[in-house]
Amino acid sequence: AQSVTQPDIHITVSEGASLELRCNYSYGATPYLFWYVQSPGQGLQLLLKYFSGDTLVQGIKGFEAEFKRSQSSFNLRKPSVHWSDAAEYFCAVVDTNNAGNNRKLIWGLGTSLAVNP
Amino acid sequence: NAGVTQTPKFQVLKTGQSMTLQCAQDMNHNSMYWYRQDPGMGLRLIYYSASEGTTDKGEVPNGYNVSRLNKREFSLRLESAAPSQTSVYFCASSEDMRLAVYNEQFFGPGTRLTVL
């Protein structure tokens, strides 16, 4: 079965520092990958997605992610973190084991990001 | 354009009570979803509706029922609440029926439910 692993449960960075959140997936073919962000008390919002093509994907809020097939990874990065980036970040992959409308997302458990002033 | 709205925002129930969580979207989306979010468990799909008039079970459907009232509304009902159903519930919607899972899902703000 396909799976998504976010190895870091919690990360703390200083404001202005760079950020990398890790995501590993298990899937033989090209996966369909997403990063979502959940700000405190809010629903989830899509940051970016990767289906094919350029392995470096740009998203909203200054985030980017790089797909590395050799490492089965889709890590999220930001060059300079802002205090408002403190949130929970979720990686997800499409479960292609079922057909058509029965395909669903498989979610990682999330990484909680704290930003020190 | 309100996006996805959910009511109520907070609810406390006693074991055995019933309640319905309401969800509505104004984006003319075909597909709608109900998730629950628990610490250490991530997001788990309860039920989904690929299109108006259809509903299907997700990963954790036991103890829940859903109704896709029309294209806009998708409600989740707990017939007899249990403490194990204490969770944060999110409703989401996405645009395309045929390949809905590849599209962005738009989430509501959530309902925080406590069952005593």
Side-chain angles (χ1 to χ4, degrees), chain A residues 5-48:
Chain A
T5 303
Q6 294 181 245
D8 305 304
I9 296 173
H10 185 85
I11 285 181
T12 300
V13 299
S14 298
E15 191 167 18
S18 63
L19 171 70
E20 183 169 30
L21 302 181
R22 297 184 291 165
C23 173
N24 296 101
Y25 65 89
S26 67
Y27 184 56
T30 299
Y32 301 92
L33 295 156
F34 301 79
W35 273 102
Y36 279 80
V37 60
Q38 183 182 21
S39 297
Q42 304 294 315
L44 283 73
Q45 180 183 24
L46 179 68
L47 283 175
L48 46 80

Side-chain angles (χ1 to χ4, degrees), chain B residues 38-66:
Chain B
D38 303 289
M41 304 291 287
L43 277 169
R44 293 182 291 171
L45 183 64
I46 305 172
Y47 270 93
Y48 66 101
S49 170
S51 62
E52 184 180 354
T54 69
T55 61
D56 287 284
K57 296 178 180 179
E59 300 172 71
V60 289
N62 291 344
Y64 305 95
N65 285 302
V66 291

Side-chain angles (χ1 to χ4, degrees), chain A residues 11 13-17 19 37-40 61 63 78 80-89 113-117:
Chain A
I11 285 181
V13 299
S14 298
E15 191 167 18
L19 171 70
V37 60
Q38 183 182 21
S39 297
K61 305 185 183 206
F63 285 92
K78 187 169 185 178
S80 177
V81 170
H82 189 261
W83 63 266
S84 61
D85 293 324
E88 188 101 17
Y89 292 81
L113 174 67
V115 180
N116 286 334

Side-chain angles (χ1 to χ4, degrees), chain A residues 34 51 93-95 100 103-105, chain B residues 33 94 96-105:
Chain A
F34 301 79
F51 287 175
V93 65
V94 174
D95 178 7
R103 292 186 173 178
K104 306 173 192 60
L105 286 178
Chain B
Y33 312 82
S94 63
D96 186 80
M97 178 184 70
R98 292 168 300 162
L99 295 173
V101 72
Y102 299 102
N103 294 322
E104 177 178 2
Q105 292 189 24

Side-chain angles (χ1 to χ4, degrees), chain B residues 33 36 40 42 47 52 56 65 73 77 79-80 84 86 97 111:
Chain B
Y33 312 82
R36 60 178 289 173
Y47 270 93
E52 184 180 354
D56 287 284
N65 285 302
E73 298 172 287
R77 183 161 177 83
E79 291 290 352
S80 179
S84 61
T86 294
M97 178 184 70
T111 295

